[in-house]
Amino acid sequence: MFKLSHKKIIATSAVAAAVAFAGCLGSNPDASSSSEGSTKYVASHTYDFNGKKVIDGGVYYPVVDGKRGPYYVNEQASRIAYNKGREALPVEIKAWDVDVMYNGPFPKGHGTVGEGEEIYEEKCVACHGDFGSGAANIGIYPALSKGNAYELHETLKNQRLNPDDDGPIRVFGSYWPYPSTAWWYIKTGMPHPHPKSLTNNEVYALVAYMLSINELKVDGEVVEDEDFELNQDNFGKIEMPNVNGFIPNLNGPNGTDNIRKLLNTPHEYGAKTLADGRCMHDCLKEVKVQHITIEQKNFLPPLSEVRDLPKEENGGGAEAKAKATYEASCAMCHDSGAADAPIIGNKAQWAKYIKEGMDTVYKKGIEGVGAMPPKGGTTLSDAEFKSVVDYIVGKSK
Amino acid sequence: MDIKETQNAPVSSENEVELSSRREFFKKSAALSVTAIAGTSLAATNALAEEKGDPNIVEEVPWGTKLGDPVTKNRYGMPSPYEHNVTRRNAQLLASGNWQASIAMCPIQDLYGILTPNGLFFNRDHGGVAHIDPNRYRLMIHGLVEKPIVLTLDQLKKYPSVSRVHFIECPANGGPEWRGPQFNSIQFAKGMMSCAEWTGVYIKDILKDLGLSPKAKWMLAEGSDNSEMGRTVPIDKVLDDAMLVYGQNGEALRPEQGYPVRLLLPGWEGNLCVKWLKRLEFGEEPFYAKEETAKYTALKPSGKAIQHFYPLEVNSIITSPCPEKPWTDLEDGEWVEIEGLAWSGQGTIEGVDISLDGGVNWQKASLKGLVLPKAWTRFSFMHKFKKGQKLLLSSRAYDDAGRIQPTVKEERSVMGVESVYHRNAVATWEVTAEGKVNNVQVIS
């Protein structure tokens, strides 16, 4: 169906050989991989444009006879110069090019551990917990520290093979290779409900605080003094324990070739090739089955394969709608008390809010309060939001 | 478990004749209609007899005896309300604190063919779905190029367009199950993926106008959403099949997929296909964005983690039966299709094998429909159902890159159980004597 030229068959010989000689431990597979259901397109393990192996270890489909794999292409289209758009202005590039490279230069600014702690207590603690330990109640917002980074780094070899085993601890201090990533991410992505609201100095202060709670060293000294100042000059001297913990090494002129080498070595990442065998018979001596032990089934909405009319259409009413909104947008925190949210149904917790009057409760919710963003991060109208508040309060008094 | 007795019976024309006999056929269609009208017309069900016939046939139905909706009613069409249970679903276990930094799983058990409807496409965000005004959309391309540019959406669409069918998969698909099965559901065990026809522009077609420096080795792709999601892409992929896409199954990208423009790196981790794309910067060194070190790195037992783990390796899953679609309604001796999806981010599916005994013996399944590179591919295998027979159903795909799925044991032996990402070991469903289907793992 898709004819291969002789030349291209040679180009794809690695694949062909793997299929043709796929011996296996038990017996041979049927020899039908190229006949019935033939799906072969012209594919190469080597790029035309640089003569190197395909970077992800897979195949590449060159344009042959007006087709790329199964797709016809207009080859003229890729030869024309289009020159759309306009030149980017330096002021525009400056506005958007705010990434921080691992090897600097680092943004201008400075901040101390003490300043960072103040900002942290005001803007971060509700989600990330005391001293960056993660949200107290459910622990699913990322923790920023679990203790001394250099000691925790040793846990990265841990494997939870048994239920009581300790796992590897992957937090900023123990796992991240470069602090530049944290600076960049805090500047552009944090605080979660109000990103891009922190100044350079505030970001330096927060990173300094993160260094202190992870007991990280800068230029040989552990950061513990609240007067310690982090700035563009000493940022490059932060000593991250896991800086060499990632493979392959991507830095420097051989970076892309290093990843090419790794991804073309399937056994390095648990992948298997047809040359390893495609066993068809008597492949296992015994069949050992692992069943579900702790079943996860808190699904939203619950699984159902029923084909019927939805309940709303049968007159579920406003309360059903408010309940659905609550479950989709509010339950994450108000079911569990995450981020200090008052728990639905907890009359004692809600009493103090209800006492302030419903107008105040609505207003706080609409404008955002504590870790909760305005309207809980929803796009509801004021009226819709109030009906959800009514639903929660109705369950909590 | 009588795993030795699970060999598939050869196709017998006698069986087929028997099954398609008039009597059998009537019995089956009657049973079906009972299901269809259950709850609305119980009396009719009880009264169902051969001489009376199926009331859905011999009596008039409501939708045939009145006017339907005018063509003006739904300017944008919606699924039948009866399909309201076919939705994306969430689990708190898979959220990073709230429903903004979270994932919605695709109901792959309910999909047909290889294209995912846009409203059901799985959705992973790092700071919520951004809503971008297309008139204010700008894309900047800068860094190691002679001419840095800014494009509007209309200008981007003036480049010649390319349409391609590709899956997008989160590399954490199946990741919660490295230590064993947790979800008795295909939607949660394997629903972090979908497949669509994408329309957009090859980045290489834009770059050739800009004077890309030979020093450029990496491209940063950055989104304009809450999290400014960013990833570093090697130049090889940019010059191969990387696209800037604005079309999804024939219409504009959905907001959940990055409206108006996302990056598409066919076959590579979904998070690399940056949504709400605002900036491409070319550089000599990798950028180390948050989501390429803090997350999306695969920790090995040595304590070293693989970073920049781009391609989704060859993989497959049986979609019917599955925990959501059990075989509890089958009759003894009935022929049933075992159907599933296979995919590879490293090439095109070459074939899929099926095992009924947990991987002791394998038989070749048929591929069916379109078989496209880096796209979902359907496979099919006919099975004669034997009432009470326990089975361990597995599928194993292989691709034209010469890769085949490893067993759970083989994959764990290299990657351990803490790597989170890129789990592509053979998956297994246990079919119980009652025809129920459970998620299990064969670990020998």
Side-chain angles (χ1 to χ4, degrees):
Chain A
M1 188 168 149
F2 297 97
K3 283 182 188 164
L4 300 175
S5 70
H6 181 64
K7 198 174 154 195
K8 287 297 171 185
I9 288 176
I10 290 168
T12 59
S13 59
V15 184
V19 174
F21 302 119
C24 73
L25 301 172
S27 62
N28 287 325
D30 54 8
S32 58
S33 37
S34 59
S35 54
E36 179 250 334
S38 174
T39 58
K40 282 210 168 170
Y41 306 120
V42 177
S44 172
H45 283 264
T46 307
Y47 286 125
D48 285 356
F49 60 82
N50 62 8
K52 291 182 175 182
K53 278 191 167 181
V54 172
I55 195 161
D56 68 8
V59 294
Y60 148 81
Y61 299 94
V63 177
V64 177
D65 299 334
K67 288 178 81 176
R68 192 167 198 222
Y71 299 99
Y72 285 95
V73 294
N74 180 350
E75 290 180 77
Q76 190 193 6
S78 57
R79 288 196 295 266
I80 294 168
Y82 297 96
N83 293 306
K84 300 293 174 197
R86 62 163 174 83
E87 197 144 342
L89 303 173
V91 65
E92 294 170 335
I93 296 174
K94 194 182 163 206
W96 275 10
D97 186 7
V98 297
D99 54 79
V100 185
M101 300 297 284
Y102 73 95
N103 53 355
F106 302 109
K108 287 204 169 93
H110 55 84
T112 66
V113 171
E115 289 160 0
E117 185 171 13
E118 268 184 46
I119 301 163
Y120 184 85
E121 290 296 328
E122 183 194 342
K123 299 183 174 175
C124 317
V125 71
C127 294
H128 290 293
D130 292 336
F131 308 107
S133 57
N137 294 301
I138 46 174
I140 54 175
Y141 276 108
L144 306 179
S145 167
K146 289 285 183 185
N148 182 287
Y150 306 98
E151 288 167 18
L152 294 177
H153 180 240
E154 300 301 314
T155 69
L156 296 180
K157 291 178 183 161
N158 290 359
Q159 296 277 313
R160 277 171 292 174
L161 298 170
N162 303 300
D164 295 335
D165 291 347
D166 289 328
I169 293 178
R170 283 168 273 202
V171 295
F172 164 73
S174 62
Y175 193 64
W176 295 27
Y178 298 109
S180 56
T181 304
W183 202 103
W184 176 13
Y185 184 67
I186 293 169
K187 177 73 179 172
T188 55
M190 286 288 129
H192 200 32
H194 310 289
K196 305 165 191 75
S197 61
L198 298 169
T199 65
N200 282 11
N201 287 352
E202 288 174 318
V203 176
Y204 269 110
L206 284 168
V207 177
Y209 178 69
M210 283 170 67
L211 299 182
S212 75
I213 57 180
N214 283 280
E215 301 173 31
L216 282 160
K217 291 178 191 168
V218 176
D219 204 11
E221 298 283 326
V222 176
V223 175
E224 34 192 7
D225 189 346
E226 67 172 35
D227 292 329
F228 172 84
E229 182 189 278
L230 189 65
N231 55 47
Q232 72 265 25
D233 298 321
N234 63 1
F235 194 85
K237 293 173 183 164
I238 299 169
E239 297 170 16
M240 301 295 281
N242 203 33
V243 63
N244 295 316
F246 294 86
I247 52 173
N249 177 17
L250 302 175
N251 303 345
N254 300 323
T256 51
D257 284 337
N258 289 344
I259 192 79
R260 185 187 323 279
K261 192 176 165 198
L262 175 81
L263 294 175
N264 279 284
T265 312
H267 296 158
E268 282 289 308
Y269 50 96
K272 189 176 172 182
T273 70
L274 286 164
D276 298 326
R278 178 180 154 226
C279 178
M280 298 303 283
H281 300 297
D282 302 322
C283 306
L284 301 175
K285 286 200 181 76
E286 53 161 354
V287 177
K288 207 169 151 190
V289 177
Q290 187 176 357
H291 287 88
I292 293 174
T293 46
I294 304 166
E295 187 176 348
Q296 302 289 337
K297 49 182 170 187
N298 188 14
F299 303 143
L300 188 79
L303 294 170
S304 172
E305 294 292 313
V306 174
R307 284 182 167 72
D308 61 2
L309 288 175
K311 288 195 178 64
E312 299 91 271
E313 308 229 338
N314 295 332
E319 181 170 332
K321 204 175 162 197
K323 181 170 183 277
T325 306
Y326 171 80
E327 284 169 355
S329 301
C330 321
M332 180 80 84
C333 293
H334 286 286
D335 267 6
S336 61
D340 288 336
I343 295 172
I344 191 168
N346 186 323
K347 291 173 187 173
Q349 281 184 6
W350 277 96
K352 64 177 175 181
Y353 299 106
I354 295 168
K355 211 165 64 188
E356 294 171 7
M358 282 310 288
D359 284 348
T360 309
V361 178
Y362 293 141
K363 185 165 182 287
K364 279 184 175 173
I366 288 167
E367 291 172 359
V369 56
M372 184 174 112
K375 292 181 186 171
T378 65
T379 53
L380 299 172
S381 70
D382 283 7
E384 288 167 333
F385 181 79
K386 285 178 180 175
S387 75
V388 181
V389 175
D390 291 342
Y391 169 79
I392 298 172
V393 169
K395 296 261 176 210
S396 313
K397 64 179 182 187
Chain B
M1 183 165 292
D2 55 341
I3 51 173
K4 291 296 170 198
E5 295 175 19
T6 57
Q7 194 66 17
N8 203 38
V11 174
S12 138
S13 56
E14 199 184 337
N15 286 335
E16 286 170 348
V17 169
E18 186 204 339
L19 267 183
S20 58
S21 76
R22 222 183 119 82
R23 188 176 176 81
E24 282 291 317
F25 181 81
F26 180 81
K27 256 168 72 181
K28 284 189 160 316
S29 52
L32 272 175
S33 60
V34 168
T35 313
I37 59 175
T40 55
S41 183
L42 211 59
T45 308
N46 294 336
L48 189 65
E50 286 195 24
E51 58 272 21
K52 277 192 144 179
D54 180 348
N56 291 302
I57 296 170
V58 299
E59 292 169 17
E60 298 300 341
V61 289
W63 51 88
T65 51
K66 61 175 185 181
L67 275 172
D69 291 339
V71 294
T72 50
K73 183 180 177 185
N74 289 321
R75 298 295 185 188
Y76 193 99
M78 297 295 287
S80 163
Y82 289 90
E83 299 291 326
H84 71 100
N85 282 322
V86 181
T87 65
R88 292 185 284 228
R89 286 185 169 84
N90 316 91
Q92 193 162 316
L93 181 75
L94 305 173
S96 321
N98 58 24
W99 293 124
Q100 272 82 16
S102 188
I103 191 161
M105 313 291 282
C106 179
I108 56 175
Q109 71 276 15
D110 291 311
L111 300 185
Y112 311 115
I114 59 170
L115 297 179
T116 307
N118 292 341
L120 297 175
F121 205 96
F122 94 99
N123 175 24
R124 166 67 160 120
D125 311 313
H126 295 81
V129 175
H131 292 278
I132 295 182
D133 175 350
N135 303 299
R136 296 183 62 191
Y137 177 78
R138 301 291 183 271
L139 175 69
M140 187 184 290
I141 304 176
H142 72 109
L144 293 177
V145 290
E146 282 169 25
K147 187 181 129 188
I149 60 165
V150 173
L151 290 167
T152 64
L153 182 59
D154 287 341
Q155 288 163 342
L156 178 68
K157 288 180 178 174
K158 287 201 168 72
Y159 286 88
S161 72
V162 178
S163 293
R164 295 283 184 268
V165 174
H166 291 301
F167 71 85
I168 295 182
E169 182 184 21
C170 175
N173 199 15
E177 305 200 318
W178 275 98
R179 288 190 294 281
Q182 286 205 81
F183 299 110
N184 211 24
S185 152
I186 191 176
Q187 184 165 2
F188 284 89
K190 276 283 193 281
M192 291 185 195
M193 60 167 180
S194 296
C195 184
E197 185 196 49
W198 307 96
T199 297
V201 176
Y202 274 136
I203 299 179
K204 60 187 173 187
D205 284 353
I206 303 175
L207 278 181
K208 70 179 161 26
D209 302 346
L210 307 186
L212 181 68
S213 163
K215 281 193 202 161
K217 282 200 168 328
W218 303 98
M219 177 185 83
L220 171 72
E222 190 175 65
S224 64
D225 60 310
N226 162 294
S227 71
E228 296 257 319
M229 171 71 192
R231 283 295 315 251
T232 304
V233 185
I235 202 76
D236 297 67
K237 184 70 171 177
V238 179
L239 297 177
D240 177 11
D241 56 0
M243 295 168 70
L244 305 178
V245 297
Y246 44 76
Q248 176 186 358
N249 289 332
E251 63 178 358
L253 279 186
R254 290 292 174 89
E256 297 98 316
Q257 300 309 321
Y259 177 86
V261 178
R262 88 181 290 175
L263 178 65
L264 180 72
L265 302 178
W268 286 18
E269 294 181 348
N271 67 86
L272 280 153
C273 302
V274 173
K275 305 194 276 191
W276 311 291
L277 190 68
K278 78 183 233 192
R279 188 165 78 96
L280 301 175
E281 179 180 358
F282 290 87
E284 267 185 284
E285 294 285 335
F287 288 77
Y288 294 101
K290 174 183 166 256
E291 308 295 349
E292 50 197 9
T293 55
K295 296 278 188 301
Y296 304 114
T297 49
L299 189 56
K300 294 176 73 173
S302 63
K304 302 279 184 191
I306 297 172
Q307 60 181 340
H308 284 234
F309 199 168
Y310 310 123
L312 281 322
E313 299 100 312
V314 64
N315 213 335
S316 68
I317 187 76
I318 293 171
T319 56
S320 180
C322 66
E324 287 94 331
K325 303 272 188 199
W327 278 350
T328 43
D329 61 343
L330 295 188
E331 289 180 25
D332 192 44
E334 190 173 342
W335 282 96
V336 62
E337 183 181 27
I338 297 172
E339 199 185 353
L341 291 166
W343 65 100
S344 169
Q346 294 180 301
T348 306
I349 293 297
E350 284 262 323
V352 179
D353 300 321
I354 292 281
S355 175
L356 306 175
D357 56 17
V360 179
N361 298 296
W362 295 88
Q363 301 172 74
K364 193 174 163 63
S366 293
L367 301 184
K368 62 175 190 176
L370 292 171
V371 179
L372 303 171
K374 302 170 185 178
W376 275 358
T377 299
R378 287 269 166 191
F379 62 85
S380 167
F381 185 88
M382 296 310 300
H383 172 68
K384 194 175 184 200
F385 181 72
K386 196 172 157 193
K387 201 129 191 156
Q389 185 182 36
K390 295 175 187 171
L391 301 172
L392 289 170
L393 289 183
S394 306
S395 61
R396 180 183 69 183
Y398 51 98
D399 65 19
D400 65 350
R403 304 295 180 89
I404 185 167
Q405 286 181 257
T407 64
V408 169
K409 187 182 180 184
E410 287 167 340
E411 191 174 33
R412 282 188 194 170
S413 73
V414 177
M415 296 305 291
V417 296
E418 298 293 346
S419 55
V420 183
Y421 303 104
H422 289 250
R423 205 172 75 79
N424 73 321
V426 166
T428 302
W429 301 132
E430 171 195 61
V431 181
T432 69
E434 298 77 39
K436 286 184 184 156
V437 178
N438 295 318
N439 183 12
V440 299
Q441 288 181 12
V442 174
I443 54 172
S444 49

